[in-house]
Amino acid sequence: MTESGSYIGQLAGAVGATEPALRLLLSSVFGYPLSLLYRKYIWDMPELHQHIFMITSGMGICYFNYGVDIYHSILAVVATFILIRLLGPTKNLRMASFAFHMSHLLFGYILTGTDNYDIVWTMPHCVLVLRLIGLTFDICDTFGTHQKGDEPKEMDVYGIRKMPNLLQIASYTYFPGSFLVGPQFPYHQYERFLAKEFDKYQGFVDAGFKRFLLGFFYLAVYQVGNIFASDSHLLSEEYASSGYFKRLILMGLWGRLTLYKYMSVWLLSEGVCTRFGLTFRSTSKTERPDEEDWSAGENVKIGILERASKFTHYIEAFNVATNRWVARHIYKRLKFLGSREISQASTLLFLAVWHGFHSGYYVSFLMEFIVVYIERDFDTIVKGNTKLRRLLENPTLQPVFYVLLKFYAIVGMGWCLTPFAFLSFSRYWAIFRAVYFFGYVYALLYIPVHFVLKALFPRERRAAEKSQ
């Protein structure tokens, strides 16, 4: 370890963090002065100089965190460029790009995997893999063969204007605001940013600073809350021997804090991207027509997440950019399977594999599939019967429903996140056992509830006709 590394290690020990985690946090924070430097000195230089700035900054961040393992990202960039040049915008490029990048990532998991969540080179590489696969897919969608008038509607957002060269691919990959943890954004957005299409709008200064401050706020909440509901506490005898209701509440609190841990880093990164001036989406067309929307890099919808009353709200609000990438490049391309459920299950399986080989990932995404299926089924029953809908909308019962739904959403999210965070079977199974397998009981109990609701509140003919 270098001398500077030892200082960082000592600082990490003093604040109760691991050295890789502290390096990641420092890198996220360092992106902000980089954005200020870019806007003051680099922004009005020729595009070549901007590419050099992005590449050197991103590679410097990568080396600071992972040392010589930087060669993995270099290999990925060079391989992407070669594949594009050799295969062109064809179906073969899609298949080759997907196969190479996923194989490289999974091989990395085999080499580096342990029973813990490790902050090693595979962490930014999983972000990079989606970015480069998405780039090649967008190239095929843009420059591939389409009949006139049959071009994908999304090309206004994702269509690439000019086939990128090696320098441009590297600049897009190593963009310092998002190299480590995201957010994902299409190459089309990066082209527009470098072409200075957003420079007539100045809202990025305030918007970026606000997201940056929110990142620190949620980091502080996580640090304080972690005192009472840490990973180690959920594995302790004290937790297992406490009252059952307290165990459920602590699991829910721990789950919310785990979300805040991810959110804090994403918000810091998003703030940096916005402060660079990258994330412009549009001007508002509501009652404030001059309001600028800088949410193109948004990875967390805070309002929806904090008000969540069911699992689908979390999906809508959490890891937004990645979910959008997966919906476009995986889920929608599986339409040929002819089943929404099969497409969704296949997409979740891809996400589990993309995260790694730990069983916890697969258990967590399986539970997501089950819970989403239950919620959609329940919503279908409610929409199909006026009497049940009026009962649930009764103002007198709203306070009761509110409390029950918040309990369900918070504790249920804690349950679903447990295998994702603890990874190894022995650890998450011990926690499941401590709460008497709360989530599985809920899923099994819904089977008779489904048939009871269908019997008591049958689908009305008018609702059935509307659904056809």
Side-chain angles (χ1 to χ4, degrees):
M1 182 179 293
T2 64
E3 184 177 0
S4 61
S6 65
Y7 292 147
I8 295 175
Q10 291 172 13
L11 179 59
V15 299
T18 64
E19 182 173 343
L22 183 59
R23 285 178 178 271
L24 174 64
L25 179 61
L26 291 174
S27 300
S28 299
V29 174
F30 186 62
Y32 198 78
L34 278 177
S35 70
L36 300 179
L37 177 66
Y38 170 79
R39 296 300 302 194
K40 187 171 180 64
Y41 298 108
I42 312 297
W43 166 75
D44 57 354
M45 288 185 177
E47 189 172 306
L48 173 64
H49 295 75
Q50 297 186 54
H51 287 312
I52 293 172
F53 175 81
M54 302 303 183
I55 294 169
T56 54
S57 299
M59 292 184 75
I61 289 172
C62 184
Y63 187 81
F64 172 71
N65 283 271
Y66 310 111
V68 295
D69 284 332
I70 189 176
Y71 78 85
H72 288 286
S73 57
I74 296 173
L75 173 62
V77 170
V78 173
T80 300
F81 173 73
I82 292 174
L83 288 174
I84 292 170
R85 286 295 182 268
L86 286 179
L87 301 177
T90 63
K91 188 179 294 185
N92 289 336
L93 174 60
R94 282 200 188 99
M95 293 188 294
S97 174
F98 187 90
F100 171 80
H101 288 298
M102 288 300 296
S103 298
H104 187 183
L105 177 63
L106 296 180
F107 182 69
Y109 287 146
I110 293 172
L111 291 178
T112 64
T114 68
D115 288 339
N116 299 308
Y117 185 84
D118 302 303
I119 301 179
V120 294
W121 68 266
T122 53
M123 191 203 72
H125 203 79
C126 71
V127 176
L128 177 152
V129 159
L130 294 193
R131 183 167 300 170
L132 293 179
I133 290 175
L135 171 64
T136 54
F137 279 25
D138 286 342
I139 285 174
C140 293
D141 290 341
T142 304
F143 301 108
T145 304
H146 299 291
Q147 294 181 359
K148 188 174 182 180
D150 191 37
E151 294 82 3
K153 295 179 180 178
E154 294 178 325
M155 286 302 97
D156 288 342
V157 178
Y158 299 104
I160 295 175
R161 298 173 178 180
K162 185 179 180 181
M163 191 73 76
N165 57 35
L166 180 59
L167 189 72
Q168 291 165 330
I169 295 173
S171 174
Y172 173 60
T173 301
Y174 285 109
F175 177 70
S178 63
F179 172 75
L180 287 179
V181 296
Q184 297 293 345
F185 55 89
Y187 186 75
H188 176 82
Q189 182 80 13
Y190 196 58
E191 282 184 310
R192 296 182 66 198
F193 161 68
L194 292 175
K196 295 184 169 52
E197 292 185 22
F198 310 143
D199 288 347
K200 61 181 177 181
Y201 307 106
Q202 297 300 311
F204 69 92
V205 177
D206 291 339
F209 189 60
K210 287 177 182 177
R211 300 302 273 189
F212 206 68
L213 287 180
L214 281 169
F216 279 110
F217 170 76
Y218 278 103
L219 181 61
V221 172
Y222 167 74
Q223 291 288 68
V224 174
N226 198 48
I227 299 172
F228 307 98
S230 64
D231 290 3
S232 58
H233 181 68
L234 260 66
L235 292 169
S236 68
E237 288 294 330
E238 180 185 355
Y239 175 77
S241 61
S242 60
Y244 182 65
F245 187 72
K246 182 179 180 181
R247 273 175 270 163
L248 291 178
I249 294 299
L250 281 173
M251 173 180 275
L253 175 60
W254 168 86
R256 181 53 64 99
L257 291 171
T258 300
L259 293 181
Y260 288 169
K261 177 175 66 174
Y262 291 111
M263 285 170 55
S264 62
V265 179
W266 287 339
L267 286 166
L268 291 174
S269 182
E270 184 188 332
V272 171
C273 291
T274 302
R275 190 58 185 79
F276 265 94
L278 171 72
T279 63
F280 179 79
R281 186 183 296 278
S282 65
T283 52
S284 175
K285 296 181 180 180
T286 59
E287 57 263 351
R288 296 180 62 184
D290 296 328
E291 185 178 10
E292 298 172 10
D293 182 355
W294 288 89
S295 65
E298 185 177 44
N299 218 10
V300 183
K301 295 181 183 293
I302 295 175
I304 296 175
L305 186 140
E306 295 292 4
R307 294 192 299 269
S309 59
K310 56 184 180 178
F311 202 86
T312 47
H313 289 158
Y314 288 115
I315 296 174
E316 182 182 352
F318 189 75
N319 208 359
V320 175
T322 300
N323 288 340
R324 187 182 300 120
W325 188 100
V326 172
R328 178 166 182 262
H329 291 301
I330 305 297
Y331 180 79
K332 290 183 180 179
R333 296 179 193 273
L334 296 176
K335 284 184 177 180
F336 69 91
L337 296 175
S339 168
R340 182 173 68 175
E341 286 73 23
I342 295 176
S343 296
Q344 183 188 4
S346 301
T347 302
L348 292 175
L349 177 60
F350 166 79
L351 281 171
V353 173
W354 174 64
H355 278 92
F357 296 113
H358 292 293
S359 64
Y361 293 134
Y362 299 84
V363 173
S364 185
F365 283 112
L366 173 62
M367 199 62 201
E368 176 181 334
F369 176 81
I370 293 171
V371 173
V372 169
Y373 181 87
I374 289 173
E375 289 183 357
R376 284 177 176 169
D377 182 77
F378 182 77
D379 287 344
T380 300
I381 295 173
V382 172
K383 291 176 182 178
N385 188 280
T386 305
K387 187 184 297 184
L388 178 58
R389 191 163 59 250
R390 287 175 179 171
L391 174 64
L392 296 177
E393 293 172 354
N394 188 319
T396 306
L397 297 175
Q398 289 306 301
V400 177
F401 291 151
Y402 177 81
V403 173
L404 291 175
L405 286 172
K406 293 301 287 186
F407 179 85
Y408 157 78
I410 293 175
V411 176
M413 176 52 74
W415 166 275
C416 290
L417 277 175
T418 295
F420 188 92
F422 288 96
L423 299 178
S424 63
F425 177 83
S426 60
R427 294 195 294 176
Y428 65 74
W429 198 252
I431 299 171
F432 281 177
R433 190 168 56 243
V435 294
Y436 305 142
F437 304 98
F438 166 82
Y440 294 145
V441 172
Y442 153 76
L444 290 173
L445 284 178
Y446 184 74
I447 297 174
V449 168
H450 165 85
F451 291 106
V452 170
L453 289 175
K454 294 280 284 186
L456 294 177
F457 304 99
R459 188 171 181 80
E460 297 166 352
R461 180 175 298 178
R462 183 177 300 177
E465 291 174 351
K466 286 183 178 181
S467 64
Q468 293 178 353

